[in-house]
Amino acid sequence: MVGSVSKMEEIEEGIIEEFALFDDWMDKYEHIIGLGKELPLIEEELKSDDLLIKGCQSRVWLHAKMENGKVIFTADSDAIITKGIISLLIRVLSGQTPDAIINTDLTFIEYIGLKEHLSPTRSNGLVSMVKQMKLYALAFRTQQNG
Amino acid sequence: MSELLTDIDAIRAQFPILSREVNGKQLVYLDNGATSQKPQSVIDAISHYYEYENSNIHRGVHTLSQEATSAYEDVRKKVQKFINAKHDHEVIFTSGTTGGINLVASSFGASLVRKGDEILITAMEHHSNIVPWQMLCERRGAHLKVLPISKEGEIDIEEFKKLIGPKTELISLVHVSNSLGTINPIKEMIEIAHAQNIPVMIDGAQAVHHTPVDVQDLDADFYVFSAHKMYGPTGVGVLYGKEELLNDMKPYQGGGDMIKSVTFEKTVYNDLPHKFEAGTPNIAGGIALGVAIDFINSIGYEFIMKHEAELSRFAVSQLKDIAGLRFIGTAKERAGLVSFVLDGIHPYDTGVILDKLGIAVRTGHHCTQPVMNFFEVPGTVRASFAVYNTKQEVIKLVEGIDRVKRMF
C-alpha cells in the first residue's frame, strides 16, 4: 500500500521534472502533442459507445481491467492535446492499486501548469475521465473486498 | 481607407475589454457568434441603473419605481422601432432567444398544436430551435419535420414547398445560421408559408447585429433574438409576435405582473405584453439593451454590413489558400463568420493553441450537432466577426493557424 502511493508520487515527481525543462508554452505543448501521438491507440473494438466519455469538445474512450491487484487503464481521444494529457494520467494512475487511485488528488497537473485542462469548463472529457477512473478503482476495490 | 480605419479605432475604443491581454498576448476576439463584447455605454447603463434608479417596475407609486418603469418601457418602444413592429405591445421581453422559442413552443403549442400536426424546422437549426419543438411534439403527439440542407449549407426552396402542407401548424427557422453563416431567404419562405396560412417563427439570434430587421416587411409571425449578441447584456432578449397570434396564446408562466386580478376561484390575465412577462424582469438588462440599440444606431447598418462583409471576404481570401483547410458552409448568401476544419487536426486542438496566442475562436459543434453529423466532422473552428474586428486580427488568425499546422 505505502509502496504503491510512493511509487505514484515518484512518477508525479518525474513528470514535474520533465516539464520543468520547458520555459515557454510552445515547447510544453509540443511535448504534450508528442506524448499524444506516442500513446498507442486503443483497439478499435474498445472504441465502443459504452466506453465513450462524451466531452462537448473532444471524445475520450477509457478501458480498465484488474491485473494482480493493480488497475490497468488504456484510453484514447480524438483530440491530440487531450490524448497527451491522458498519456500523463495513465502514466501516473495505470498499474496502481485501487486505493492509491481513489486517494490521489493529481496535484502534478497543477505543478506543470495544465490545470486548465482538467477544468469542467473545458468540456474536453478529461474531468469525467478522471472521475470514471476513480469509479473503476472503487468498483475493483469492492470486488476485491467482496 | 484611412477614414474607415479611424472609424474602427474609434469604435474599438468604446470596448474596454478589447485592450486586455490574454495569455500574454493582445486579445483577438473572434467569438462574437457566441456573444459580442459590450461598449462602455452599455456597461455604464447597468451600473447607473443600480446606482440611481433601482426599484421594481410596474407597481410602485414612488418616484424611483416610476422612473425605472418609464426607462424600461421606453426600451420596448425603442425595440419596436428597431425591428419596425406595428405595436410596442408586440414586443415581449424574455431571457433571450432560447427563452423566446420556449415561450412560443409552450404557449402556441398548448393553444394551437394538436395530435397529428406537424412542426417544420430546418437541418441547420441551433439546438434551442430543435429541442423545444421535440418536447412540444412529445407532449401533443405532433410530428417534427426537418427540411434538409445542401452540402453548401443552403435550403432548397422547392424542397421546402414539398414539405409544407395542411398538417403544418408552424414553421420555425433560423435567419442566419450560427455554424454555417448561411443567410436564409426568410422573406420568400414566409410568403410561401403564408399562402397556406402557416405561421413562421424566425430565430434571429445571429442576424440582428449584422443586418437590419423589419418584421412587418418580412411579415414574420414571431421573431426572437438576444441582447447579448448585439452588444447588450446577457439574460435579456426579445420575442416579437403578431398581436392577434399573441392574443390567441395562453400565458407561458404564471406569477406577478401577468395578471389583472387574482382570486382563488379565478385569475384574469393581463393584456399584452405583460401577459407573457410574469415576475420581476431583468430591468437593468432591458435598459442596457436600449443602450445597445443606441450603439448600433450610432454606427448604422450601412457601415456595419459593409465592414463585416469586407472582413468575411478578406478572411475567406486569406484562409482558402491554407493547405488542408476546408470551409464548412459555403452558401452564396452568408453573414459574419467563417467555419472550417483543418485536415488531421481536431478543432479542440486548434482552439487550445489559438487561445495560447490570445485568439478567441469557437470550436466544437456550436450547439448544432445535426449539422456536424451532416458534414461528418466532430466540430469546426468558427471565427465570427463584429463591427470592431479588423483585417489585422484576421491576419493574426491566419498566422495562428499556420502555427497550429506546424505544431501538429
Side-chain angles (χ1 to χ4, degrees):
Chain A
M1 271 291 287
V2 174
S4 171
V5 170
S6 76
K7 188 184 163 230
M8 191 187 270
E9 280 171 355
E10 265 171 40
I11 298 170
E12 291 191 44
E13 286 296 332
I15 292 173
I16 292 166
E17 274 171 36
E18 179 179 320
F19 275 79
L21 298 172
F22 309 120
D23 39 17
D24 120 328
W25 71 268
M26 277 259 293
D27 295 342
K28 186 160 81 181
Y29 274 80
E30 273 172 351
H31 184 61
I32 298 165
I33 292 164
L35 290 174
K37 287 181 175 170
E38 281 165 23
L39 185 72
L41 299 171
I42 201 168
E43 298 92 46
E44 273 307 312
E45 66 263 28
L46 291 180
K47 276 195 177 175
S48 59
D49 275 357
D50 54 325
L51 295 178
L52 175 65
I53 297 165
K54 274 187 183 161
C56 196
Q57 295 279 345
S58 56
R59 295 188 297 171
V60 171
W61 292 267
L62 174 69
H63 177 255
K65 61 180 175 186
M66 190 72 157
E67 269 179 21
N68 306 322
K70 307 280 170 65
V71 188
I72 308 297
F73 290 112
T74 37
D76 205 343
S77 173
D78 54 353
I80 291 293
I81 292 175
T82 306
K83 204 173 164 188
I85 295 163
I86 286 176
S87 160
L88 295 172
L89 290 169
I90 285 192
R91 209 195 297 177
V92 172
L93 295 175
S94 189
Q96 304 290 344
T97 63
D99 273 322
I101 295 164
I102 292 161
N103 294 326
T104 182
D105 50 9
L106 298 171
T107 41
F108 80 99
I109 287 286
E110 199 171 339
Y111 279 107
I112 61 176
L114 293 176
K115 198 179 167 216
E116 69 207 54
H117 291 278
L118 282 185
S119 143
T121 56
R122 278 277 167 147
S123 329
N124 53 12
L126 283 174
V127 173
S128 308
M129 186 181 103
V130 171
K131 204 167 152 191
Q132 192 63 40
M133 286 171 129
K134 291 195 173 226
L135 283 173
Y136 271 124
L138 200 64
F140 287 132
R141 187 175 70 177
T142 314
Q143 266 176 20
Q144 268 181 331
N145 297 343
Chain B
M1 194 65 204
S2 66
E3 194 189 333
L4 195 77
L5 194 69
T6 317
D7 281 343
I8 291 299
D9 283 345
I11 291 168
R12 286 183 73 83
Q14 296 188 40
F15 290 81
I17 206 167
L18 295 180
S19 55
R20 77 160 274 189
E21 290 192 345
V22 168
N23 293 321
K25 305 278 190 318
Q26 175 63 47
L27 168 67
V28 175
Y29 188 77
L30 298 175
D31 193 19
N32 297 285
T35 195
S36 70
Q37 297 302 346
K38 322 301 173 200
Q40 190 66 54
S41 57
V42 167
I43 299 166
D44 287 347
I46 295 167
S47 48
H48 181 267
Y49 169 76
Y50 285 117
E51 282 168 19
Y52 296 100
E53 289 171 328
N54 177 51
S55 60
N56 213 331
I57 54 170
H58 296 151
R59 16 180 191 264
V61 190
H62 58 81
T63 304
L64 286 187
S65 178
Q66 295 290 317
E67 283 179 7
T69 303
S70 109
Y72 189 72
E73 289 302 324
D74 281 351
V75 177
R76 202 186 300 277
K77 293 190 187 78
K78 199 173 271 177
V79 172
Q80 177 201 353
K81 213 173 147 201
F82 182 62
I83 57 172
N84 193 32
K86 203 167 175 185
H87 310 287
D88 62 354
H89 57 254
E90 292 177 319
V91 173
I92 314 289
F93 287 123
T94 63
S95 58
T97 303
T98 301
I101 296 172
N102 275 280
L103 190 160
V104 175
S106 176
S107 295
F108 181 91
S111 310
L112 300 159
V113 176
R114 279 163 226 89
K115 193 172 165 50
D117 284 347
E118 291 171 359
I119 306 286
L120 179 67
I121 60 172
T122 80
M124 67 171 90
E125 300 307 319
H126 189 280
H127 294 166
S128 65
N129 200 24
I130 302 174
V131 185
W133 305 114
Q134 282 175 331
M135 290 162 72
L136 167 66
C137 288
E138 210 169 290
R139 279 199 305 274
R140 309 293 294 179
H143 305 292
L144 186 65
K145 291 219 147 186
V146 183
L147 175 63
I149 51 172
S150 68
K151 62 182 192 315
E152 288 77 26
E154 287 176 323
I155 279 168
D156 180 345
I157 290 285
E158 293 310 312
E159 199 64 33
F160 173 64
K161 286 180 187 163
K162 280 186 219 155
L163 270 176
I164 55 175
K167 286 184 168 178
T168 315
E169 202 57 43
L170 181 78
I171 298 162
S172 188
L173 80 150
V174 71
H175 191 169
V176 176
S177 155
N178 75 309
S179 51
L180 304 169
T182 311
I183 305 174
N184 285 317
I186 55 168
K187 191 175 173 182
E188 189 185 351
M189 293 172 83
I190 291 169
E191 206 181 316
I192 293 165
H194 283 179
Q196 300 196 38
N197 290 318
I198 305 164
V200 182
M201 160 141 168
I202 304 294
D203 165 3
Q206 298 290 341
V208 281
H209 49 300
H210 292 311
T211 177
V213 169
D214 181 331
V215 290
Q216 289 192 79
D217 178 55
L218 290 170
D219 204 17
D221 300 282
F222 300 105
Y223 195 102
V224 285
F225 57 95
S226 300
H228 75 95
K229 294 190 202 285
M230 49 177 282
Y231 312 105
T234 55
V236 65
V238 168
L239 159 66
Y240 158 81
K242 281 183 184 165
E243 182 183 33
E244 58 275 24
L245 279 168
L246 292 173
N247 275 329
D248 282 347
M249 283 157 51
K250 292 198 171 83
Y252 178 42
Q253 293 175 321
D257 227 23
M258 54 76 73
I259 48 88
K260 270 184 180 159
S261 65
V262 177
T263 65
F264 288 115
E265 288 71 39
K266 186 171 171 55
T267 291
V268 180
Y269 303 131
N270 208 337
D271 296 325
L272 293 176
H274 308 295
K275 179 173 114 177
F276 291 109
E277 295 179 354
T280 299
N282 182 350
I283 305 167
I287 291 169
L289 164 62
V291 179
I293 291 173
D294 292 341
F295 169 77
I296 289 175
N297 288 337
S298 75
I299 297 168
Y301 276 111
E302 197 184 328
F303 178 79
I304 292 173
M305 293 195 329
K306 182 169 159 275
H307 178 67
E308 290 178 355
E310 248 176 55
L311 276 180
S312 290
R313 264 198 306 274
F314 184 68
V316 169
S317 74
Q318 296 293 302
L319 292 167
K320 73 173 171 32
D321 296 329
I322 295 179
L325 184 143
R326 176 163 66 104
F327 290 109
I328 302 294
T330 49
K332 277 192 268 331
E333 298 293 330
R334 302 177 64 261
L337 66 90
V338 283
S339 200
F340 57 89
V341 288
L342 294 169
D343 242 5
I345 305 175
H346 197 281
Y348 176 75
D349 291 328
T350 308
V352 169
I353 300 302
L354 289 178
D355 173 59
K356 286 282 163 198
L357 297 165
I359 302 167
V361 292
R362 184 69 170 233
T363 60
H365 53 61
H366 318 295
C367 294
T368 56
Q369 283 177 5
V371 175
M372 300 300 119
N373 294 340
F374 176 75
F375 286 100
E376 295 179 338
V377 291
T380 73
V381 181
R382 181 189 71 185
S384 49
F385 308 113
V387 69
Y388 43 67
N389 287 124
T390 63
K391 285 186 179 174
Q392 286 82 351
E393 289 180 309
V394 173
I395 290 168
K396 281 188 185 172
L397 170 69
V398 173
E399 289 168 353
I401 292 167
D402 275 341
R403 175 80 70 94
V404 169
K405 285 189 64 188
R406 283 203 304 275
M407 286 180 78
F408 287 90

